[in-house]
Amino acid sequence: MDYHHRAIEQKWQKFWADNHTFRVANISDKPKYYVLDMFPYPSGAGLHVGHPLGYIASDIFSRYKRLKGFNVLHPMGYDSFGLPAEQYAIQTGQHPAITTEANIKRYREQLDNIGFSFDWEREVRTSDPSFYKWTQWIFMQLFNAWYNKATDKAEPIVTLIAHFASHGSHGLNAVSDDDTLAFTATEWASFSEAQQQRELLKYRLAYLRESTVNWCAALGTVLANDEVINGVSERGGYPVEQKKMMQWSMRITAYAERLLRGLEIIDWPDPLVEMQRNWIGKSVGASVRFGVPVLGDGQYIEVFTTRVDTIYGVNALVLAPEHELVETLTTAAQKAQVEAYITQTKKKSELDRMADVKAVSGAFTGSYAVHPLTGKDVPIWIADYVLAGYGTGAVMAVPSGDQRDYLFSVHFGLPIIPISDAQQLDGQADPTKEGRYINSDIINGLTYHEAVQALVAKLESIGAGKATINYRMRDAIFGRQRYWGEPVPVYFRGELPQLIEVDELPLLLPEVDKYLPTETGEPPLGRAKDWKYRGTFEFELSTMPGWAGSSWYWYRYMDALNAGEFASKEAISYWRDVDLYIGGSEHATGHLLYSRFWNKFLKDMGYVPEEEPFKKLINQGMIQGRSNFVYRVLDEQGRGTNTFVSYGLKDQYHTVALHVDVNIVSNDVLDLEKFREFRPDFADAEFILENGKYICGHEVEKMSKSKYNVVNPDDIIEQYGADTLRMYEMFLGPLEQSKPWNTNGIEGVYKFLRKFWKLFHNAEGDFAVSDEAPSKAEWKALHKIIRKVEEDIERFSFNTSVSSFMICVNELTDLKCNKRAILQDLCIVLHPYAPHITEELWAMLGNAPGTLSYATYPAFNPEYLVESEFSYPISVNGKTRMNLTLPLDMEQLDVEQTVLTNEDIQRYLEGKPVKKVIFVKGRIVNVVV
RNA sequence: GCCUAGGUGGUGGAACUGGUAGACACGCAGGACUUAAAAUCCUGUUCGCCCUAAAGCGAGUGCGGGUUCGAUUCCCGCCCUAGGUACCA
């Protein structure tokens, strides 16, 4: 019998489904192992061969872990809220739930084709009310919590209320808005309910605040910073403007330090850790207050600096043009100039501002601040190199130590004062921390560390500053003016947001007549009829952002059907955290940061046990498209003819390159018949061939329909089978590396599986396995692969395993091995990679069908690999000259003698005196002359 | 600019802690089987020189240096590619 992949694969996929082979229990004697994939957004286009790359790797790993005796949780689901379904709904009027359902069905079919070992009984969909009920529930927990810096964790809001009731705001160390009130316990008691609520909102981890948001009028929505690229929306490329708006936000900044600390205990790729570190952007420095007499007594401008030691070099304060004090500070004489400058910067788009980094601009306000240490006047300027959103939106300019300040000062003729004897100011600033300070009053002669200490102490003692830590990361906006997302479980009593009752969850997404903003500019939910809480109060009309559901979904898999909790305590305490998470690096600062934040919060509230949710993380590379081109010959007027010239001859003609469907090209050779059917206008195409073939050109591009380079896994599976697809995707190269998909080469993997199949069959094609004892060489081939695959999988080097399987099967074929003892173990070792063919052969070997998934991975026995001899490469002066087989237990002196007296070696020595012989046992002999 | 990863045959890639560079596979060339094709199998395939052949010689892992008996691997400088980031005080 030949290897018929289609029949075998369908048979086993059905078997696994019918027998619930991959159903996994939350109780087990085995150690647990949780393998998670980043779940997909089910788009209308379906899967292409790039999508399953990570899933195949995680499936191999899961199947391997099962064979190694672990209880493996390996679930899959859908991140099914999202823009494309809504965009489609806007265009067609079809409810996004319907398109989403259809897309999920298609995804499921495609996934099932590949033979994954997911426990589908745990499937989650973020858009399903039984799931988003708990997303809303977590939101409510966040609303009902504050961050206590004293205990360094989030606490229920009741503990804050208790503190206010007994101590007022005194002694509180909390993360909050800037405008909190100071009050006593008695004053708190005297506050109205509304006043109290207003104050509490300044502390809640989910809170409302007026934020400047990226408003995209064309999309009718607010975008996150990472959705705005170069001033236009990532999706669609529409213009984005800054707009003030009441927005739900998440106080992720409360967790900045813990998010940073956690990076040290997790096993993630360095670039990803680095990206998160930069995103959080911690700077240690000081805040310094510069008094501003014109604003009134005791009024000041606060700046943040990482170089407080340079404070005596300050020649100006520079504010962001958007700074709130600019208008007040501008004197009548400077008014025209300042206003002109502000108009000019406002006009500049984000893009211009970035392109213009080197152009210095700014304006003098006419006012002066007072240097807190010298008492001297410091002019106050505005300039757009100072960003309103970072620090305090104001900087102290130190031209000798900061290049931007230097350029600014040179441009506007401000004095440049050197502050260190080590500074070299030849046309640029010198930020050195070496040397001793000069022109710096109380720190003259001190070193950097001494100076910082002395200055912070001094500033603190006069109330003009303190040591401060600043983060680049901002609180995350948690709202979208869109329809297809989780409703926020909040209604309004006047201006004040109130939570609905827990037993009223889920707050279902209401029906609307259109998926567009209302005429008055309200989000689509404003269109819902009679959508009021208890018939009276307005619901929140924005929905949650895309990252809400994905910030906790891995817990739902642990107990996906639980109606009473997001997951039971027992399930969570058994599975705890994700042992291996595989996904793309594009989620580095979005999903992976928000998930860590929610996880820490859930831990603070006692719902989950681990500080970090994803112990180990692997980024799979992107699979790019590999486009093929044909070259249409142009006539003298530059018009296209119906003649196409092969790649190698195209330079002899005037041609234009056209994309051609990669599915009608094989090894860059065009299928002429299929090409004529490809487009009606190609029906009578003629070809100029080379060597009888039409060779196509190629280029690496994004995989997309318009480039005709999309390869559907279903087509590959139809032709070669899922086992071939799985192994070929791995064979393509290291998992982490991005690479173009190229179907060339898949034949090699397909041939391998047929060769493997043939080991179990005789020349007539009948199943024929021998019970004889294997030879030494056969044992050796087996145990080499047992060890190799184990090592490779543990370091996620799947491509090298595939090569080793090929070597092993080549060896066994050469040995004509059909011994049961060898082939049965080989089935187990290969099973994670090629589950269908191995299940089939396993059953043919007489094992109970379907038991292979839970077989025991064979133990490696080093005795089979022990060698008594080794063929040493003999090199002279580092250049390999020949090989010499010597016993492995031969020691240096004997080796030297054998080698040096060898006739062939003598030739290379040319009679020169031997200086030294390097001998590394089992490796090499190097003669130095 | 900064951060990170990477540059190896015609192609994808291998070489794990400094020890035979190019495993494995594709492609290509030649051959066997076949009426023929497909499938299968065998041989060769880094480049250059020499040669009927056998054998031999030289160069070679982006470029230039260094350490070492020995470097794709470690160090210094540079070039290029991809991803991230954008005046962060």
Side-chain angles (χ1 to χ4, degrees):
Chain A
M1 203 175 84
D2 285 341
Y3 169 48
H4 295 302
H5 59 82
R6 205 75 199 113
I8 292 171
E9 292 179 354
Q10 281 169 355
K11 171 181 164 187
W12 288 104
Q13 283 166 12
K14 182 166 186 312
F15 181 96
W16 294 329
D18 290 349
N19 292 280
H20 308 283
T21 303
F22 303 112
R23 178 189 274 165
V24 56
N26 285 349
I27 304 165
S28 171
D29 301 334
K30 299 175 182 174
K32 72 99 183 182
Y33 203 91
Y34 188 174
V35 181
L36 182 67
D37 292 291
M38 289 186 187
F39 61 165
Y41 172 78
S43 83
L47 293 173
H48 64 62
V49 287
H51 293 117
L53 182 75
Y55 305 155
I56 292 171
S58 67
D59 196 60
I60 289 170
F61 202 83
S62 302
R63 286 178 179 272
Y64 168 78
K65 278 287 173 182
R66 265 185 222 114
L67 298 174
K68 278 287 189 179
F70 287 85
N71 189 36
V72 177
L73 177 55
H74 186 217
M76 182 49 75
Y78 306 96
D79 193 8
S80 46
F81 273 132
L83 274 179
E86 181 159 350
Q87 217 62 299
Y88 188 73
I90 291 169
Q91 286 159 21
T92 63
Q94 192 165 56
H95 197 289
I98 296 170
T99 25
T100 301
E101 178 70 36
N103 292 347
I104 286 177
K105 195 160 167 278
R106 170 116 182 79
Y107 262 61
R108 177 63 190 274
E109 283 167 8
Q110 288 188 296
L111 290 171
D112 281 348
N113 258 339
I114 304 172
F116 292 122
S117 63
F118 296 128
D119 179 358
W120 281 109
E121 287 166 50
R122 295 170 181 265
E123 180 197 295
V124 303
R125 302 176 181 189
T126 55
S127 62
D128 194 296
S130 70
F131 182 93
Y132 71 67
K133 169 180 180 177
W134 299 107
T135 312
Q136 291 171 331
W137 181 83
I138 293 170
F139 174 90
M140 290 167 80
Q141 310 305 305
L142 282 153
F143 181 84
N144 272 334
W146 64 294
Y147 201 89
N148 188 346
K149 282 202 245 185
T151 56
D152 199 19
K153 58 186 232 178
E155 293 182 12
I157 200 82
V158 290
T159 65
L160 180 64
I161 296 171
H163 184 101
F164 286 158
S166 54
H167 308 286
S169 61
H170 185 74
L172 190 67
N173 191 2
V175 178
S176 68
D177 292 354
D178 301 330
D179 59 345
T180 53
L181 305 173
F183 49 84
T184 63
T186 333
E187 285 168 330
W188 173 256
S190 71
F191 285 173
S192 70
E193 166 73 14
Q195 276 175 308
Q196 287 187 344
Q197 287 301 325
R198 207 169 297 132
E199 195 59 21
L200 288 172
L201 194 55
K202 298 173 186 170
Y203 294 86
R204 296 179 188 277
L205 293 183
Y207 66 105
L208 267 176
R209 75 159 175 200
E210 171 128 296
S211 321
T212 312
V213 296
N214 303 305
W215 172 253
C216 178
L219 293 173
T221 190
V222 166
L223 301 174
N225 283 330
D226 46 303
E227 291 172 307
V228 183
I229 309 222
N230 294 341
V232 298
S233 63
E234 183 187 20
R235 150 164 276 294
Y238 302 111
V240 173
E241 55 181 306
Q242 301 297 302
K243 188 173 160 183
K244 293 222 165 186
M245 203 179 225
M246 266 310 208
Q247 281 288 314
W248 283 100
S249 294
M250 288 283 166
R251 232 178 272 281
I252 188 172
T253 48
Y255 285 89
E257 195 58 43
R258 278 168 66 186
L259 287 169
L260 223 39
R261 247 187 284 141
L263 292 174
E264 287 158 26
I265 61 162
I266 51 185
D267 184 6
W268 286 18
D270 291 341
L272 209 146
V273 168
E274 199 55 29
M275 268 191 247
Q276 291 217 342
R277 200 168 275 141
N278 292 340
W279 189 263
I280 297 165
K282 179 179 180 175
S283 326
V284 180
S287 57
V288 182
R289 291 174 177 184
F290 286 73
V292 184
V294 292
L295 292 175
D297 218 21
Q299 298 299 300
Y300 56 85
I301 289 173
E302 191 164 64
V303 301
F304 174 74
T305 176
T306 54
R307 291 297 302 273
V308 70
D309 58 301
T310 64
I311 194 164
Y312 287 98
V314 170
N315 65 353
L317 288 191
V318 187
L319 311 189
E322 300 90 341
H323 197 281
E324 54 188 10
L325 291 175
V326 170
E327 208 185 318
T328 342
L329 287 169
T330 304
T331 59
Q334 292 300 109
K335 196 166 178 181
Q337 218 181 322
V338 167
E339 277 176 0
Y341 182 67
I342 291 175
T343 330
Q344 181 203 321
T345 48
K346 263 197 188 143
K347 253 195 293 183
K348 274 203 250 179
S349 73
E350 249 343 85
L351 204 71
D352 296 336
R353 235 165 122 158
M354 269 170 18
D356 246 23
V357 164
K358 283 183 187 100
V360 179
S361 65
F364 178 45
T365 61
S367 296
Y368 291 85
V370 179
H371 193 288
L373 299 177
T374 64
K376 285 185 188 152
D377 279 352
V378 179
I380 302 172
W381 287 67
I382 62 171
D384 65 3
Y385 79 87
V386 179
L387 307 177
Y390 183 76
T392 59
V395 304
M396 56 181 219
V398 183
S400 60
D402 182 286
Q403 187 61 19
R404 288 156 311 175
D405 296 341
Y406 185 89
L407 292 173
F408 186 78
S409 301
V410 168
H411 189 260
F412 291 106
L414 299 169
I416 296 167
I417 311 148
I419 42 147
S420 158
D421 59 7
Q423 264 178 338
Q424 303 195 335
L425 303 173
D426 41 3
Q428 55 177 11
D430 181 358
T432 181
K433 292 175 183 175
E434 306 295 313
R436 307 284 172 149
Y437 292 90
I438 55 173
N439 301 325
S440 295
D441 195 16
I442 62 164
I443 57 164
N444 277 335
L446 298 187
T447 64
Y448 172 74
H449 289 285
E450 293 163 350
V452 170
Q453 262 189 335
L455 285 168
V456 169
K458 176 73 179 171
L459 288 167
E460 273 179 18
S461 73
I462 60 172
K466 59 175 194 286
T468 310
I469 291 168
N470 206 21
Y471 298 94
R472 192 188 82 111
M473 182 172 65
R474 304 271 66 115
D475 276 348
I477 291 170
F478 194 76
R480 294 293 129 92
Q481 278 53 51
R482 305 294 304 210
Y483 176 74
W484 192 229
E486 300 88 345
V488 177
V490 161
Y491 65 92
F492 286 88
R493 216 180 270 256
E495 289 300 291
L496 285 169
Q498 312 271 320
L499 293 180
I500 67 172
E501 299 295 325
V502 168
D503 58 18
E504 289 164 335
L505 290 175
L507 175 59
L508 293 173
L509 195 55
E511 296 300 319
V512 292
D513 57 342
K514 272 196 263 181
Y515 305 97
L516 290 169
T518 65
E519 281 67 35
T520 54
E522 303 243 83
L525 290 192
R527 294 175 172 275
K529 256 207 202 128
D530 305 323
W531 199 52
K532 288 203 161 64
Y533 183 63
R534 299 196 171 154
T536 323
F537 302 104
E538 294 290 342
F539 275 121
E540 168 64 51
L541 295 181
S542 59
T543 51
M544 297 188 195
W547 54 272
S550 61
S551 295
W552 73 278
Y553 74 111
W554 66 96
Y555 286 114
R556 188 62 182 169
Y557 285 134
M558 295 176 183
D559 197 10
L561 303 176
N562 196 324
E565 296 162 280
F566 70 92
S568 72
K569 275 240 156 357
E570 294 72 36
I572 295 173
S573 65
Y574 177 69
W575 294 111
R576 304 185 75 83
D577 55 1
V578 174
D579 294 282
L580 175 66
Y581 196 15
I582 296 189
S585 60
E586 65 271 23
H587 299 106
T589 49
H591 162 59
L592 288 172
L593 202 59
Y594 299 135
S595 293
R596 295 180 59 221
F597 158 45
W598 277 33
N599 188 78
K600 287 176 194 302
F601 168 72
L602 290 171
K603 181 184 182 237
D604 288 351
M605 304 307 281
Y607 295 118
V608 305
E610 300 288 345
E611 176 80 7
E612 288 292 337
F614 315 125
K615 239 187 270 179
K616 173 151 186 89
L617 190 137
I618 301 275
N619 286 133
Q620 95 267 17
M622 259 214 305
I623 299 262
Q624 296 141 311
R626 184 180 187 275
S627 308
N628 274 120
F629 296 91
V630 292
Y631 301 90
R632 175 176 236 161
V633 176
L634 301 177
D635 65 15
E636 275 148 28
Q637 279 79 45
R639 287 177 308 215
T641 66
N642 71 338
T643 303
F644 296 84
V645 58
S646 185
Y647 178 75
L649 305 172
K650 72 175 167 59
D651 293 342
Q652 301 168 20
Y653 300 83
H654 190 36
T655 61
V656 61
L658 298 173
H659 278 95
V660 60
D661 191 340
V662 295
N663 295 293
I664 62 169
V665 176
S666 156
N667 285 320
D668 292 336
V669 177
L670 181 67
D671 183 324
L672 302 182
E673 277 316 301
K674 286 185 184 159
F675 180 73
R676 290 198 174 101
E677 294 160 18
F678 174 49
R679 264 165 51 177
D681 52 318
F682 293 166
D684 52 357
E686 306 208 355
F687 304 96
I688 301 168
L689 306 177
E690 47 184 320
N691 303 326
K693 292 173 184 165
Y694 189 98
I695 309 293
C696 298
H698 61 89
E699 208 171 287
V700 173
E701 300 178 290
K702 209 176 124 93
M703 208 176 262
S704 100
K705 261 187 185 165
S706 64
K707 297 179 169 37
Y708 294 107
N709 61 5
V710 176
V711 180
N712 186 331
D714 295 344
D715 296 340
I716 302 281
I717 290 167
E718 183 63 36
Q719 199 179 346
Y720 298 102
D723 286 337
T724 300
L725 174 77
R726 290 168 64 104
M727 292 197 85
Y728 185 59
E729 292 230 1
M730 294 299 104
F731 188 57
L732 231 36
L735 182 63
E736 302 90 328
Q737 228 166 70
S738 283
K739 57 233 157 189
W741 175 269
N742 186 349
T743 311
N744 301 356
I746 196 166
E747 289 282 350
V749 172
Y750 189 53
K751 268 187 218 163
F752 156 76
L753 285 176
R754 275 182 302 184
K755 260 179 144 173
F756 173 67
W757 179 264
K758 273 193 191 164
L759 288 175
F760 296 73
H761 294 80
N762 61 22
E764 286 72 46
D766 296 321
F767 182 77
V769 167
S770 144
D771 285 315
E772 279 172 61
S775 70
K776 214 182 152 208
E778 289 167 341
W779 281 122
K780 188 177 166 187
L782 174 68
H783 280 263
K784 258 183 1 195
I785 195 72
I786 291 173
R787 180 177 63 181
K788 176 71 174 156
V789 167
E790 195 165 336
E791 283 172 359
D792 284 351
I793 292 186
E794 303 279 355
R795 61 189 174 103
F796 307 97
S797 174
F798 301 101
N799 55 325
T800 50
S801 288
V802 178
S803 302
S804 304
F805 278 125
M806 290 173 173
I807 293 169
C808 176
V809 166
N810 287 346
E811 281 172 358
L812 291 176
T813 302
D814 290 344
L815 293 165
K816 299 194 171 29
C817 173
N818 68 339
K819 312 283 167 57
R820 176 183 300 275
I822 302 294
L823 298 183
Q824 178 142 323
D825 275 356
L826 183 57
C827 262
I828 303 175
V829 178
L830 180 60
H831 179 249
Y833 290 81
H836 309 85
I837 190 175
T838 47
E839 279 275 24
E840 179 72 11
L841 291 167
W842 179 258
M844 287 166 87
L845 284 166
N847 298 291
T851 52
L852 180 53
S853 297
Y854 295 93
T856 302
Y857 191 87
F860 168 64
N861 183 347
E863 279 173 32
Y864 290 114
L865 268 51
V866 172
E867 295 281 350
S868 58
E869 293 180 334
F870 178 73
S871 171
Y872 281 95
I874 313 295
S875 47
V876 177
N877 283 344
K879 195 165 278 292
T880 308
R881 291 303 182 177
M882 59 175 296
N883 279 36
L884 201 59
T885 301
L886 300 172
L888 264 170
D889 56 7
M890 201 182 226
E891 296 298 333
Q892 168 120 26
L893 282 177
D894 297 329
V895 171
E896 271 185 40
Q897 197 162 28
T898 317
V899 168
L900 293 180
T901 53
N902 183 289
E903 276 181 30
D904 291 320
I905 296 293
Q906 295 268 324
R907 254 184 339 114
Y908 290 107
L909 300 182
E910 295 164 359
K912 290 176 197 154
V914 173
K915 259 199 224 157
K916 189 155 63 153
V917 177
I918 310 280
F919 171 66
V920 184
K921 199 181 246 187
R923 287 261 189 218
I924 201 169
V925 180
N926 187 13
V927 183
V928 186
V929 296

